[in-house]
Amino acid sequence: MINLKTTNYLFKGLFPRLSAKSCHSTCDYLNGHLNSIFCLRHPSFDVVLKSHALVITSGNTNNVFISSKLISFYASSQRLHSCNKVFYSVNEKDTFLWNSLIQSHFSCGNYAEAYDFYVRMRLSNILPSQFTFPMVVATCAELLWVNQGKCVHGLVAKSGLFEGNCAVGSSLVYMYSKFGFTWDAGVLFDEMTVRDVVSWTTLVIGYAQNGESELGLECISEMHRTGGIGERMNFRTMEGGLQACADLGALVVGRCLHAFVVKTGLGCSLVVQSSLLSIYSKCGDLSEGCNSFSELVDKDLISWTSIINIHARYGLMYDCISLFWDMQIDGLFPDRIILSCILSGFGNSLHVREGKAFHGLIIRKNYVIDHIVNTALLSMYCKFGLLIPSEKLFDKEHEWSKESCAIMVCGYAKLGMGGRCIELFREMQNEGIKTDSSCLVSVISSCSQLGAIRLCRSIHGYVIRALTYQNVSIANALIDMYGKSGNLTVAKRIFYRTNKDVVTWNTLISSYVCCGVAGQAIALFEHMILQKFKPNQATLVTVLSACSNVASLDKGEMVHRYIEKEGFELNVSLVSALVNMYAKCGQLEKSRQLFNSMEERDAISWNVMISGYGMHGHAKSAIEIFQQMERSKVKPNAITFLLLISACAHAGLVEEGKNLFNRMHLYSVEPSLKIYTCLVDLLGRSGKLLEAEEVVLSMPFPPDGNVWGALLSACKIHNQIETGLRIARRAIESDPDNDGYHIMLANMLSYSGKWEQAQRVREMMKARGVEKAAGWSAV
């Protein structure tokens, strides 16, 4: 504020020809001059000071109109202390002056002071007007003062200012929307007798910001259908509607609104253009997103973030980086959100080399690496499966966060490091860090892989205590864990108590198949259909596998008819499952017809057909399929050769089997232990025992029981007792605790009449504590 000396100086400077004697006679002239000054929209601060000095010297300090203008000018300069002094200098304050002071604090964001002056106004027995309430209600909304806002609402109702006043009604709708009470906001809106575009827009934006986007779109539809001239949508209404479409992923509705803004000319608004870019970005429409971005005249950081994000989501990292450089050429510096979007894109698209290079660029350019960027880097390296850089980033954090811990737990589970995953989860519990659903799913999956059933039961108890047992993902993980461990009773109990999705049904069906109760898997699939749940491709593949396991042709054909009736796309996996089902049910012709109808085949498809011929003893047909596979673009794998050599072994095709074994190196396939076992079985069945023995001794890894068993069985079949005795002794040396080797040796000694030696073998078994496994019968 200015003092008296300054006032006199400014007064003389502004009106040097006026003397003190003539001031009273020219009072009317001064008032007119003051009014002309106050009519200026944005006077300079120097003019305001001089005008204030003139007000004081001319004796107009109690003029309410002039004082309110001074308060407004000081508020525009953020000098609220001066506003207060001008207000207190007026002796008789009316509603207009109180409104001016409240508005000055409200417009400067000083909400608590604005409400405090409203309280003082009420204590002074000054009744608020229709201009007071919108400011006070909005103040309560910004401060989230629910109780105070309800009290103001009560006074509005008593004063009768709600009816017929759009501003008051709109402010109340805004307040309840801000509080999150969208139902109350809707009721208030319905009670408004007079509405304008602000009222509708406030309700639309309130619905959109509170996660009730569907109601927001319904509100826009009603506004367009019933609204009058003063209720036509503006760019703010469109902003709320487009935000609702983006949140819902309602691309079709968004395009309709886009057409509307083009038709009405609202598309020229920068806010609408940015909202259109946002909706196309969130809905994944790359083409329209690029078009909306190119139409933006003034591209801000949010616009660049949206267009970079949509390219990152599609894995178009070259275009993403190109836009990243264009943004900087445009004079905008990348923030942490843009950096995290690009890092997420590299992680999802598994561009390891480029992701590492971008990490190096972040370090070289000294971009800000805060918690968000560090978390994005951690997520990227975990998705790459790179443990060392992931752990380095995680260890660099001064304080663990919920997000980084969850990413690391999921990363350990993905890499098959179940022990580390569970250990970190325990440390999170000790540190009091809350876990999310993805973290718990990873821990349960790790427990299942390690066979730590007791630990998983403890986590199940934690899930119940944390009230997260209704989460579908966690329930699915628990069903999978209990199902794979053979505890189908608990798995079924969780299944029937939880909210189900398709994955829930698939998990229990898969558990039944895994536990060898294929009949229950098929019955559950039929129950799923009766419950109006539509299966997906994974469900059908699993059920067809169940039909194959029990060779149920009737059920398999039923599933096939359902696939045709519902119009499922016959992709490679589904057709391969049908081929396998018909082959295992003995319908080789039907299986071959489906196989021949496939336009695209992968290695699994070829292997299924080879397996079908092999299990029915048609080894030559299996080799014929293999030759077709060689002529195709699909490379055979280890399973292909295992099936072929096994088929040759059962059909007695020795030379063909040996040739197949020798061709493996052409496809860079290393023979596995199972393939060696099949080759030994092939040679042994044909009586080439010495050659089979040479194969066993030349193996790059120690033979297991299956290899020795195949060789010993061949010796017994061909009555090669001496060779069998030698091999049996080698087998016992390699695995002294295997009762089968001892029994086989004792039996061969008995067949050759060496009863005493056979007895000594049995006595040796007793001395070593090797017990014969009890036999069982399926009858």
Side-chain angles (χ1 to χ4, degrees):
M1 283 292 290
I2 52 179
N3 54 29
L4 184 60
K5 184 177 180 181
T6 309
T7 301
N8 291 331
Y9 170 75
L10 290 172
F11 177 76
K12 291 177 181 177
L14 193 59
F15 295 100
R17 296 183 180 179
L18 290 176
S19 64
K21 292 180 181 179
S22 60
C23 281
H24 295 290
S25 60
T26 57
C27 185
D28 294 336
Y29 168 77
L30 290 174
N31 286 334
H33 187 79
L34 286 170
N35 286 334
S36 66
I37 293 173
F38 291 144
C39 287
L40 294 174
R41 194 168 185 183
H42 297 292
S44 65
F45 184 66
D46 184 55
V47 171
V48 173
L49 283 177
K50 291 180 179 179
S51 302
H52 193 181
L54 183 59
V55 168
I56 295 171
T57 54
S58 62
N60 282 286
T61 53
N62 283 316
N63 188 307
V64 173
F65 172 76
I66 293 174
S67 297
S68 65
K69 291 297 287 185
L70 281 172
I71 289 172
S72 175
F73 289 145
Y74 280 125
S76 64
S77 302
Q78 300 286 322
R79 297 177 183 273
L80 296 176
H81 182 67
S82 300
C83 293
N84 295 346
K85 285 201 170 185
V86 171
F87 175 78
Y88 287 124
S89 67
V90 179
N91 294 328
E92 295 183 5
K93 305 172 181 67
D94 61 359
T95 303
F96 181 73
L97 189 63
W98 280 102
N99 288 348
S100 299
L101 185 63
I102 293 170
Q103 184 182 16
S104 68
H105 286 275
F106 176 78
S107 61
C108 292
N110 196 13
Y111 302 120
E113 286 292 320
Y115 186 81
D116 183 57
F117 279 111
Y118 162 74
V119 173
R120 295 183 191 181
M121 176 185 183
R122 295 288 296 119
L123 293 173
S124 301
N125 293 322
I126 302 293
L127 286 174
S129 67
Q130 59 181 345
F131 303 105
T132 315
F133 284 121
M135 292 184 293
V136 178
V137 169
T139 295
C140 294
E142 297 298 334
L143 294 171
L144 297 179
W145 286 357
V146 179
N147 293 330
Q148 290 88 332
K150 289 181 178 179
C151 290
V152 177
H153 183 188
L155 184 59
V156 169
K158 287 180 182 179
S159 62
L161 291 175
F162 176 76
E163 296 179 1
N165 193 300
C166 293
V168 175
S170 300
S171 65
L172 286 169
V173 171
Y174 171 76
M175 180 184 73
Y176 282 107
S177 298
K178 194 79 173 178
F179 292 160
F181 304 155
T182 51
W183 186 85
D184 298 297
V187 170
L188 274 169
F189 180 81
D190 291 338
E191 291 176 354
M192 292 176 64
T193 55
V194 179
R195 300 166 185 163
D196 60 3
V197 64
V198 177
S199 314
W200 287 97
T201 303
T202 303
L203 187 62
V204 169
I205 294 176
Y207 280 136
Q209 291 179 346
N210 284 284
E212 298 189 23
S213 299
E214 291 181 357
L215 292 174
L217 293 177
E218 289 178 9
C219 189
I220 283 185
S221 177
E222 182 70 13
M223 178 183 182
H224 180 65
R225 187 170 60 86
T226 63
I229 297 176
E231 301 171 72
R232 290 176 181 172
M233 287 180 272
N234 60 16
F235 68 96
R236 289 293 178 193
T237 320
M238 285 294 100
E239 181 187 11
L242 291 169
Q243 180 187 341
C245 293
D247 293 339
L248 291 171
L251 184 58
V252 175
V253 180
R255 284 174 175 163
C256 292
L257 291 180
H258 188 178
F260 179 81
V261 300
V262 171
K263 179 181 177 182
T264 56
L266 294 172
C268 300
S269 167
L270 180 62
V271 173
V272 173
Q273 290 175 351
S274 299
S275 299
L276 286 169
L277 175 58
S278 176
I279 182 179
Y280 288 126
S281 174
K282 288 184 178 180
C283 293
D285 193 328
L286 181 62
S287 175
E288 289 294 342
C290 292
N291 290 338
S292 298
F293 181 76
S294 63
E295 291 174 1
L296 276 171
V297 178
D298 186 13
K299 299 177 175 66
D300 58 3
L301 197 60
I302 297 174
S303 307
W304 284 102
T305 304
S306 296
I307 196 66
I308 288 173
N309 181 50
I310 191 173
H311 282 85
R313 283 174 58 191
Y314 275 95
L316 303 172
M317 301 314 298
Y318 178 81
D319 296 329
C320 199
I321 295 299
S322 178
L323 288 165
F324 176 74
W325 293 121
D326 290 343
M327 178 190 70
Q328 296 181 69
I329 293 171
D330 207 31
L332 292 172
F333 193 76
D335 65 352
R336 56 185 184 173
I337 305 299
I338 288 181
L339 296 176
S340 62
C341 286
I342 296 174
L343 290 169
S344 177
F346 281 125
N348 293 332
S349 56
L350 297 179
H351 291 162
V352 180
R353 185 177 176 183
E354 293 83 354
K356 287 180 175 179
F358 191 73
H359 184 191
L361 177 70
I362 291 173
I363 295 171
R364 287 196 307 275
K365 292 287 186 179
N366 291 321
Y367 294 139
V368 177
I369 303 180
D370 61 356
H371 171 67
I372 292 178
V373 177
N374 195 71
T375 303
L377 283 167
L378 179 63
S379 176
M380 181 185 75
Y381 281 112
C382 283
K383 288 175 181 176
F384 289 164
L386 300 175
L387 180 63
I388 294 175
S390 299
E391 289 186 326
K392 283 183 178 179
L393 287 164
F394 185 67
D395 293 337
K396 278 183 181 179
E397 290 198 345
H398 300 293
E399 186 176 348
W400 286 355
S401 66
K402 175 183 173 181
E403 294 80 11
S404 58
C405 287
I407 290 169
M408 204 66 209
V409 165
C410 296
Y412 281 135
K414 180 183 177 182
L415 293 170
M417 305 177 70
R420 304 273 295 266
C421 173
I422 296 166
E423 182 183 351
L424 180 57
F425 176 74
R426 282 174 171 164
E427 291 180 19
M428 288 173 64
Q429 300 306 302
N430 294 333
E431 295 290 330
I433 301 173
K434 292 183 178 180
T435 55
D436 57 12
S437 60
S438 63
C439 185
L440 285 169
V441 168
S442 298
V443 174
I444 293 168
S445 175
S446 296
C447 293
S448 179
Q449 290 172 4
L450 295 172
I453 305 303
R454 291 182 63 184
L455 180 58
C456 200
R457 285 174 179 167
S458 301
I459 296 172
H460 189 181
Y462 170 81
V463 167
I464 294 172
R465 290 193 303 275
L467 300 177
T468 55
Y469 55 88
Q470 289 296 333
N471 185 285
V472 178
S473 300
I474 296 173
N476 295 343
L478 287 169
I479 293 169
D480 183 64
M481 185 276 299
Y482 283 114
K484 286 182 178 177
S485 64
N487 197 339
L488 291 174
T489 303
V490 179
K492 286 190 288 186
R493 191 178 301 151
I494 298 170
F495 174 82
Y496 286 111
R497 289 181 178 178
T498 190
N499 296 322
K500 302 172 190 65
D501 60 4
V502 177
V503 179
T504 314
W505 291 90
N506 291 355
T507 305
L508 188 58
I509 292 171
S510 178
S511 297
Y512 281 138
V513 175
C514 183
C515 292
V517 283
Q520 292 190 41
I522 298 168
L524 185 62
F525 169 73
E526 293 173 344
H527 182 59
M528 178 183 184
I529 302 299
L530 290 173
Q531 292 293 319
K532 307 300 181 183
F533 270 94
K534 187 172 182 179
N536 57 16
Q537 300 274 1
T539 320
L540 298 168
V541 169
T542 307
V543 174
L544 287 169
S545 174
C547 297
S548 303
N549 292 346
V550 293
S552 177
L553 181 60
D554 293 341
K555 298 294 184 183
E557 287 178 334
M558 177 200 73
V559 176
H560 192 179
R561 286 194 298 271
Y562 177 81
I563 291 169
E564 291 176 341
K565 177 184 174 184
E566 296 296 326
F568 280 93
E569 180 186 356
L570 291 173
N571 61 11
V572 177
S573 300
L574 191 54
V575 179
S576 298
L578 285 167
V579 169
N580 183 52
M581 184 272 296
Y582 280 113
K584 286 188 175 179
C585 292
Q587 300 291 314
L588 281 176
E589 290 185 7
K590 181 69 173 177
S591 179
R592 184 63 183 268
Q593 285 177 5
L594 282 167
F595 179 79
N596 291 338
S597 68
M598 296 177 70
E599 296 179 0
E600 182 184 356
R601 304 184 184 105
D602 58 5
I604 296 174
S605 311
W606 290 100
N607 291 346
V608 163
M609 199 65 243
I610 291 170
S611 173
Y613 279 121
M615 73 174 67
H616 290 286
H618 302 295
K620 290 186 177 179
S621 297
I623 294 172
E624 176 211 336
I625 293 292
F626 171 70
Q627 290 169 350
Q628 291 183 25
M629 182 181 184
E630 285 185 306
R631 290 192 291 269
S632 72
K633 296 180 181 180
V634 181
K635 283 181 61 176
N637 54 26
I639 296 175
T640 312
F641 287 101
L642 176 65
L643 294 169
L644 287 166
I645 296 172
S646 176
C648 291
H650 286 88
L653 302 178
V654 181
E655 294 303 321
E656 289 85 346
K658 288 167 65 176
N659 288 335
L660 287 166
F661 183 83
N662 293 329
R663 287 179 63 81
M664 291 176 66
H665 71 279
L666 298 176
Y667 300 100
S668 303
V669 177
E670 293 294 329
S672 64
L673 190 59
K674 288 184 177 180
I675 292 176
Y676 272 111
T677 303
C678 285
L679 181 62
V680 170
D681 185 45
L682 169 70
L683 296 170
R685 284 172 184 263
S686 62
K688 299 185 178 183
L689 298 176
L690 293 177
E691 191 176 348
E693 188 177 2
E694 287 177 6
V695 170
V696 174
L697 297 176
S698 67
M699 286 168 54
F701 26 71
D704 66 351
N706 292 324
V707 176
W708 290 120
L711 198 51
L712 286 170
S713 296
C715 292
K716 184 179 177 183
I717 291 169
H718 293 284
N719 202 25
Q720 297 290 327
I721 304 301
E722 294 300 325
T723 305
L725 293 174
R726 184 178 70 253
I727 292 170
R729 290 188 179 96
R730 283 183 178 172
I732 291 172
E733 288 175 5
S734 66
D735 188 5
D737 296 328
N738 192 312
D739 65 313
Y741 299 156
H742 291 86
I743 299 300
M744 189 79 75
L745 177 59
N747 290 340
M748 281 191 291
L749 290 168
S750 299
Y751 294 151
S752 60
K754 298 178 181 178
W755 305 103
E756 293 180 0
Q757 293 183 29
Q759 184 61 31
R760 282 199 295 270
V761 171
R762 291 188 174 90
E763 290 174 356
M764 182 176 64
M765 285 180 65
K766 290 181 181 179
R768 291 180 175 177
V770 179
E771 295 183 0
K772 181 181 177 181
W776 60 278
S777 174
V779 179

